[in-house]
Amino acid sequence: MGREPDGSTVNRGAVIGVLVLAVVAAGVSWFFGVGVVQSLAVGGVVTAVGVTWTAIREGAPVTWPVPPVRSAPGARRELSEAAWALRSRGGVPERALGRVRAVARRRLWTLHRLDLDDPEQRGAIEAVLPPAVVAVLQHEGRPGLDLAGFQAVLSAIEAMTPTTERHP
């Protein structure tokens, strides 16, 4: 087996065998009265099928590589994924609010070590986020939020910056 520049291996014996088989197939078809051009086409088809079969049989990868997804918790990508759930009428659905609450929960914890679900930390959270945004994030039911209010919540979450001081 030989090693190609990209690191894959090729069974040269199998490829040579396929080429010999293609020449024989072209010769046999020509011998039995098929025209020269058609005989060469038969040889080409045998070569293509044989080399493809050899590559698949040798275990060469036949799928596209999938790049790893690198995303920090609470990244803007997660917020944009939540946007697909928004409707033009009827306000913001609870599903979108749930996603935004999850992002806010992670960002508050990652950047400030604050727990959105802890009522004792509400004052510290309101020092980081506007009180109206905290009220929306901590509201258990659907607060009847419109798209403009939802945009304000998203902007406030995105604008959070880390502090140098750690909260308990």
Side-chain angles (χ1 to χ4, degrees), residues 36-93:
V36 174
V37 174
Q38 288 84 4
S39 296
L40 291 175
V42 167
V45 169
V46 169
T47 301
V49 171
V51 169
T52 303
W53 181 258
T54 302
I56 291 172
R57 192 183 69 210
E58 293 294 323
V62 292
T63 60
W64 288 100
V66 178
V69 176
R70 295 182 187 131
S71 178
R76 180 150 178 97
R77 178 177 166 266
E78 291 182 20
L79 293 176
S80 65
E81 285 178 359
W84 70 267
L86 300 178
R87 296 186 292 235
S88 60
R89 288 182 281 148
V92 178

Side-chain angles (χ1 to χ4, degrees), residues 100-110 114-117:
V100 170
R101 285 182 183 121
V103 170
R105 190 173 289 112
R106 278 195 302 264
R107 285 188 57 92
L108 280 168
W109 181 254
T110 303
L114 293 173
D115 184 8
L116 183 63
D117 299 323

Side-chain angles (χ1 to χ4, degrees), residues 70-162:
R70 295 182 187 131
S71 178
R76 180 150 178 97
R77 178 177 166 266
E78 291 182 20
L79 293 176
S80 65
E81 285 178 359
W84 70 267
L86 300 178
R87 296 186 292 235
S88 60
R89 288 182 281 148
V92 178
E94 183 60 35
R95 182 175 180 184
L97 286 173
R99 286 183 173 198
V100 170
R101 285 182 183 121
V103 170
R105 190 173 289 112
R106 278 195 302 264
R107 285 188 57 92
L108 280 168
W109 181 254
T110 303
L111 299 176
H112 302 282
R113 296 292 184 240
L114 293 173
D115 184 8
L116 183 63
D117 299 323
D118 187 358
E120 294 177 6
Q121 292 185 356
R122 184 170 181 143
I125 294 171
E126 286 180 349
V128 175
L129 292 171
V133 171
V134 176
V136 169
L137 293 175
Q138 290 184 336
H139 191 275
E140 289 299 318
R142 183 179 165 134
L145 190 64
D146 63 353
L147 292 177
F150 188 70
Q151 180 184 3
V153 171
L154 289 177
S155 297
I157 293 170
E158 183 181 17
M160 273 195 290
T161 57

